[in-house]
Amino acid sequence: MTNVKQLMDEHDMLDRMAVELLASVRAGQSAAQIVYLRARLSSLLGTHLAAEDRAIYPRLAQSACPEAVSCGRDFTHELAVLSVDWEAYLREWSEDSIAADFSHFAAETEDMMTRLRERIEFEQRCLLPLAVREGALPLRAAA
């Protein structure tokens, strides 16, 4: 069962991977290396979002607290926008297109990683405490 510690650990890994990707782009590493790092990030991000979708959002939607229902709906909408933009970013920036227009790719990557890292921080600060308060998530895995 998904728990707060697991999601927080994943947030930490996602943040580190975003920082690593940004460092790679800023250092001008090869498009192949950047695509590899981005694929690792994308894979963990997909797994993480699926866990949140299963564990948190349905329970917030069924909460007796109108604030929790509203926040859950807002969080879901904001995440949907980010997810669509992430998918477009992945489609647009293949290894070849990165190599062909590195400066544009770098600028878009800076923006996307900023948005991703802000979302992670927001979830740590707002979403996970709300999920615990509403009984949607245990703090740790059962012993």
Side-chain angles (χ1 to χ4, degrees), residues 44-72:
L44 178 57
L45 184 60
T47 300
H48 176 79
L49 294 177
E52 285 182 347
D53 284 347
R54 281 190 317 273
I56 298 175
Y57 298 113
R59 290 186 176 112
L60 291 181
Q62 297 171 353
S63 174
C65 174
E67 176 192 2
V69 172
S70 177
C71 286

Side-chain angles (χ1 to χ4, degrees), residues 70-84:
S70 177
C71 286
R73 189 173 36 248
D74 291 347
F75 293 158
T76 302
H77 173 73
E78 292 163 8
L79 185 57
V81 170
L82 182 58
S83 293
V84 166

